[in-house]
Amino acid sequence: MIRLEEITAAVSLGQAGDRDAARTQLTALWDAIDDGPTRCVIAHFLADVQDETEDELTWDLRALELVSDDQWLPSLHLSLADDYRRLSQADRAHEHLNAAQAHLSKLPEGDYGDVVRSGFDHVAEALAAGSVQRLESNPST
């Protein structure tokens, strides 16, 4: 049985800069389970440790397919908007940014909600400016 601690430990590796180890551990966790909601979380975090935007998009799309909690929708759509923005697909980026905005009210108050709302503003500004550069930090997690 996959424990939250295992996911958290793998995510922490990525946040500390060891993206390869995080990717390896998260992929092993992905392969070890078939629980949709847990796989959604793992896919969302796996996207964050990819080196190529195309790979990040693939994992974010997998996460969206598995989402079962509406609270994740703003973050997932925001990640997709940022992926498409960096891939110079502005129309798709706008679609997902609009979807993220439509779900912002589902976010809780507090740190998580604040991070996603702030990420929304950053992605919206970068999209409006025509930027395709990676943002300093992940906009949604």
Side-chain angles (χ1 to χ4, degrees):
M1 177 176 198
I2 303 301
R3 296 185 318 245
L4 179 59
E5 295 83 23
E6 292 174 278
I7 297 170
T8 302
V11 170
S12 294
L13 285 171
Q15 291 171 338
D18 194 348
R19 296 164 60 89
D20 289 336
R23 226 180 357 258
T24 298
Q25 287 187 17
L26 287 167
T27 300
L29 292 169
W30 170 268
D31 292 340
I33 63 158
D34 62 3
D35 173 64
T38 304
R39 286 185 116 203
C40 174
V41 171
I42 292 168
H44 195 38
F45 286 121
L46 258 166
D48 294 340
V49 294
Q50 299 304 310
D51 292 329
E52 301 298 327
T53 304
E54 294 84 358
D55 296 331
E56 192 171 340
L57 174 64
T58 297
W59 282 107
D60 281 331
L61 287 169
R62 285 179 183 156
L64 186 62
E65 289 174 3
L66 295 166
V67 71
S68 63
D69 182 345
D70 286 353
Q71 188 172 311
W72 279 95
L73 287 172
S75 178
L76 290 170
H77 282 295
L78 180 59
S79 291
L80 286 162
D82 194 48
D83 296 341
Y84 284 118
R85 176 190 65 80
R86 289 185 285 125
L87 291 169
S88 299
Q89 296 182 31
D91 289 344
R92 297 298 312 259
H94 281 291
E95 287 174 26
H96 285 283
L97 194 64
N98 290 338
Q101 185 174 29
H103 294 287
L104 285 178
S105 64
K106 295 177 174 134
L107 290 170
E109 294 302 317
D111 292 342
Y112 173 71
D114 292 345
V115 166
V116 176
R117 282 185 282 274
S118 175
F120 177 87
D121 293 340
H122 289 108
V123 171
E125 290 168 9
L127 185 58
S131 171
V132 295
Q133 300 301 313
R134 185 177 294 273
L135 297 175
E136 277 293 309
S137 62
N138 186 296
S140 63
T141 57

